[in-house]
Amino acid sequence: MKDWIRIGALSDIPRLGARTIETAQGQVAVFRTKDDEVFALFNRCPHKGGPLSEGIVSGKVVVCPLHSWTIDLATGEATAPDEGCTRPVESRLADGEIFLLLERGRKVAHG
Amino acid sequence: MNALPRQKLVVVGNGMAGMRTVEELLAIAPARFDITVFGAEPHPNYNRIMLSSVLAGEKAVDDIIINSRDWYDENHIALHAGDPVVAVDPVAKTVTAASGLVVPYDRLLLATGSKPLMPPLPGLDLPGVVAFRDIADVERMLAAAEAGQRAVVIGGGLLGLEAAWGLRRRGMPVAVVHLMDTLMERQLDVEAGHLLQKDLTERGLHFFMGGQTEEVMGTERAEGLKLADGREVPADLVVVAIGIRPNVDLAKAAGLEVNRGIVVGDGMRTSDSSIYSVGECVEHRGQVFGLVAPLWEQAKVAAAHLAGNADAIYVTPALSTRLKITGIDVFSAGRLAAQDEADEELIYRDSAKGIYKKLVLRDGKLVGAVMYGDVADGNWYFQLMREAADVAEMRDRMIFGQAYADHACKGKGGMDVAAMADDAQVCGCNGVSKGAIVKAITEKGLTSLDEVKAHTKASASCGQCASVVQAILAHVTGEVVEAKAAGMCGCTDLSHDQVRREIVAQDLKTMDDVRAALGWRHADGCAKCRPALNYYLICAWPAEYVDDNQSRFINERVHANIQKDGTYSVIPRMWGGVTTPAELRAIADVADKFAIPTVKVTGGQRIDLLGVRKEQLPAVWADLNKAGLVSGHGYAKGLRTVKTCVGSEWCRFGTQDSTGLGIKLERMMWGSWTPHKVKLAVSGCPRNCAEATIKDIGIICVEAGYDIVVGGNGGIELRGTDHLARVATEAEVLEYSGAVMQIYREEARYLERMAPWVERVGIESIKKRVVDDAAGRAAAHARFLFSQAYAQIDPWAERVKGLDAHEFNALAEVE
Ligand code: SRM
Ligand SMILES: Cc1cc2nc3c(=O)[nH]c(=O)nc-3n(C[C@H](O)[C@H](O)[C@H](O)COP(=O)(O)OP(=O)(O)OC[C@H]3O[C@@H](n4cnc5c(N)ncnc54)[C@H](O)[C@@H]3O)c2cc1C
Ligand code: SF4
Ligand code: FES
């Protein structure tokens, strides 16, 4: 069953940056845009599995660090001419706290 | 306005000729047809030629897609990929696909290509036997390579050799069985064929020449080949590459006139007036086809007819061949040898260098060329043949190449692009003339190779002619390059140089300031301009600017190189390539403690620890720091290594202390940020064991002092350094090098290495400022040292202390 799980504060993520979350389904990258919007994607590039959390974020896209595919943060879709999609995770921001819609489970927070 | 109702065009075959016809048609009559394309393969249209490079691991499948699915959507083309057409009804004017789909047409284009020729051998249907034609074949071969199997290729022609080489590159033991005694006998003469065989043998291929395959051995799977003379070749993978046969099944069943191929007239029309055909499936005036150059002509003619111009006529162009095996240069065109007394052969042979050239002349004209080892002049010879130029006057010189035959040569690749005729063909694959390239450059204002590629297709297939295209671009844009330099990225039309100038002129000190003042289209820039701006600001305001980590590529952000599996590599600095037992012990201990999978000596005289997980990095660095080891910046657009030789300390020929000088240079320059990476080397004498002449800055010690050389590169495009100055003392070496470094930092565009920068501004301009102008030199050196005061902080030590801790651990774990 899915549940909204608090995974940290907005301020834990640098602007135009990302942090990762370990989940039973795999690593999730949580991105923060310049205007403090938050997006989350499974952390595997549709091309060859590159860690999207390590890419450069601008606007609402991230450029994969391995071969520079551009991935839309909201949909997880690669931008033309590349094709492919990374699974997005729904996210919500309340009072500076980030919540992700994830499989319910035990949560271990780090500093 | 009342538009004409669109007609229906159905294309069978989503390959190179079919889709090129559609591209041509869209260019001249975009609204004439509703287009439906059927393809037997489940992929959008791709560059079949490049399958050889995919097999060899030089390209990925994604790199060879010509038109993506988006392209079909944008042009309103209905694509049915993976759904072959199984029947054509020329009376009802419909096609039926395997899925049962029936689509009517007004015009039909058959572009079904060809099928691999399969000899009637026992065992050919066993698993493990493949052809080399499409992506699926390549995938099967790669799977076999991964399984560590052995391969045998039947056929020593172009295709067979490219298959064999690709598999060899993938680590397989590979044998080639060829029916004839010479490889590629249809394209090469005996001598060139033997040179090729010798080179390929040295690269690890085994040849069974004069070998007639009798059967594929094995019961469950292929186990090898048995040859007619009794020889046996064991193998788990059998690749059949003996030729191709036009794919005419559909046309034949539909009652069209079919010979070896689908018979077409000069307008590419078949015996049915509504049906056209192009590509390897056709037969035109008794000829069938196996290279792309003629197909592009066919595509043009078919498109013209479909668009309503009945005048276009197809004429088969002259053909030339190249082999796409990296490092092996083969070219041939026209006659391979004299056919009678009226033909003359000119031969050049340099056995030491493995170069062989043969020209065939008749009546003072060039009618054939075979080249091995040095093919730089292939395009020129081919051009002379196509023009049927009178070469009697340069007969004695022409075998040495164009540069020697006429002294006017300027461009790269042995081509005098200025003197080239407008209809001279530059890109053999796509049939693009010099005139077409020049026209596109001037009319569309193109400024980069990529743009020329996109607009004209020149060099978009095999890429061999890229240097000529580049030379034409340089020639046409010539003086105006600066004024028309491309914008930095999609965010601005300003060039790198203009942006740098404005940063200083307008005193812009943050990225937001720059973007606001210069009218950036996106408020936070993009992944292209942000790293560049970040560098330009650091360089302009070393004491004030606060580095923006989020604008750095991951390697520079976490001070380690990301690897393909998401782990990192760690290279500590080893000053001048010198180390100690204590340092080596510390490295060994770290490798043990963190179970680091690979420890490797790099090409830059230091040690690389590969496969470190991101969260381990700070702890690894802490241990290395304890032993006095700091970051080697192996990841940075900054100073990398200073390689040295042992020099006068030990070497019997050493003239100066090259090792000590290298260390001093590295101590002065480490930590600096630069437009691209910078590498130095210091050799103790002209034997140059540290390879100083292919470094960004090199020092060669001589009895009388030190030669400073700059602008070398051993990377993608080999370039030897230019000589800057000879100086007498170490102090001068440091000052001159520091000054060159600073001028490069201030002038070069982001991601422009020192070699292309020196080429662009010219060594004379650098000499003027560094050698002739003592005050200017001292000032540049001082500016460099000033910025170094802010740059020389070990980034690893800072992170061991906790800087950017968020980079190195997960935000949370959800179980
Ligand atoms: C580790 C090393 C190979 C090795 O195992 O020996 C290496 C590894 C890489 N090289 Fe290199 N190069 C290494 C020595 C060289 C050399 C030899 C030398 O420095 O004497 C060259 C040719 C000399 C030159 O640069 O002119 C070299 C020319 C390149 C190039 C081509 C640069 C060019 O201007 O043409 C690239 C591509 C680039 O930088 O864009 C490249 C890029 C790379 C990258 C960064 C590729 C990448 O983006 O991942 C590799 C990073 C590996 C890693 O994660 O650590 N590497 N590379 C060598 C590290 C030396 C060191 O101690 O720092
Ligand atoms: C590995 C390799 C390397 C090569 N290297 C070179 C080179 O260096 N230089 C050069 O000039 N040429 C080279 N060639 C040859 C070149 O690729 C061909 O000449 C060219 O692809 C032919 O184009 P085509 O459109 O006629 O056929 P194809 O590109 O084969 O396209 C035909 C398409 O039609 C499809 N099709 C067939 N039947 C049906 C059906 N009933 N319904 C729907 N679809 C159907 C096929 O699946 C195929 O995708 C190379 C070929 C190979 C295989
Ligand atoms: S370059 Fe000269 S000094 Fe250095 S090792 Fe070679 S021979 Fe000796
Ligand atoms: S893995 Fe992301 S672009 Fe290749």
Side-chain angles (χ1 to χ4, degrees), chain A residues 43-60:
Chain A
N43 199 14
R44 289 182 55 79
C45 176
H47 178 218
K48 293 198 172 157
L52 297 172
S53 56
E54 315 301 307
I56 292 185
V57 179
S58 65
K60 287 183 193 176

Side-chain angles (χ1 to χ4, degrees), chain B residues 645-647 651 653-654 684-685 687-689:
Chain B
C645 74
V646 285
C651 177
F653 296 115
C685 84
R687 289 172 190 75
N688 195 15
C689 301

Side-chain angles (χ1 to χ4, degrees), chain B residues 555 561-563 569 571 600-606 608 610 634 637 640-641 643 676-677 679 691 694-695 712-717 753:
Chain B
N555 289 357
N561 290 70
I562 195 163
Q563 306 292 315
S569 73
I571 308 183
K600 179 179 181 304
V601 174
T602 73
Q605 295 189 344
R606 43 211 200 152
D608 196 351
L610 293 131
K637 306 292 176 233
R640 298 272 173 105
T641 56
K643 301 215 288 193
H676 203 307
K677 59 192 177 193
K679 301 173 178 181
E691 301 166 325
I694 49 166
K695 291 288 169 273
N713 191 310
I716 299 161
E717 204 169 320
R753 201 81 193 258

Side-chain angles (χ1 to χ4, degrees), chain B residues 280-470:
Chain B
E280 286 184 344
C281 55
V282 309
E283 176 177 329
H284 173 260
R285 295 185 180 237
Q287 193 180 0
V288 293
F289 305 89
L291 293 170
V292 292
L295 313 191
W296 300 153
E297 292 300 317
Q298 297 174 1
K300 238 182 242 163
V301 172
H305 281 263
L306 286 168
N309 165 13
D311 298 337
I313 280 190
Y314 169 73
V315 183
T316 299
L319 297 178
S320 67
T321 319
R322 281 175 195 265
L323 183 68
K324 301 188 299 298
I325 293 186
T326 309
I328 292 199
D329 295 319
V330 179
F331 176 91
S332 89
R335 261 174 232 184
L336 305 182
Q339 286 171 353
D340 53 41
E341 280 99 78
D343 286 351
E344 288 179 89
E345 288 186 354
L346 302 177
I347 293 181
Y348 172 93
R349 193 183 278 117
D350 180 340
S351 3
K353 288 198 184 142
I355 294 174
Y356 168 79
K357 301 186 205 176
K358 181 204 273 178
L359 300 180
V360 184
L361 271 63
R362 191 184 183 94
D363 301 334
K365 302 208 164 82
L366 188 62
V367 292
V370 179
M371 310 170 73
Y372 191 87
D374 172 6
V375 298
D377 287 299
N379 280 338
W380 180 56
Y381 292 136
F382 188 43
Q383 180 62 23
L384 292 175
M385 286 170 57
R386 289 159 42 92
E387 286 172 349
D390 186 350
V391 298
E393 192 271 327
M394 57 181 167
R395 179 187 176 285
D396 299 342
R397 283 166 289 142
M398 65 186 298
I399 192 98
F400 301 108
Q402 186 183 21
Y404 193 80
D406 58 47
H407 291 278
C409 175
K410 292 185 207 88
K412 283 188 183 172
M415 283 241 129
D416 176 3
V417 295
M420 242 169 125
D422 266 357
D423 62 355
Q425 179 166 318
V426 173
C427 173
C429 295
N430 291 309
V432 189
S433 66
K434 175 194 164 192
I437 296 175
V438 171
K439 186 157 170 258
I441 294 172
T442 42
E443 284 182 1
K444 308 215 167 86
L446 309 184
T447 53
S448 70
L449 180 61
D450 280 344
E451 287 174 356
V452 177
K453 233 191 243 179
H455 282 94
T456 66
K457 301 258 173 211
S459 83
S461 293
C462 82
Q464 296 262 16
C465 63
S467 65
V468 182
V469 177
Q470 191 99 58

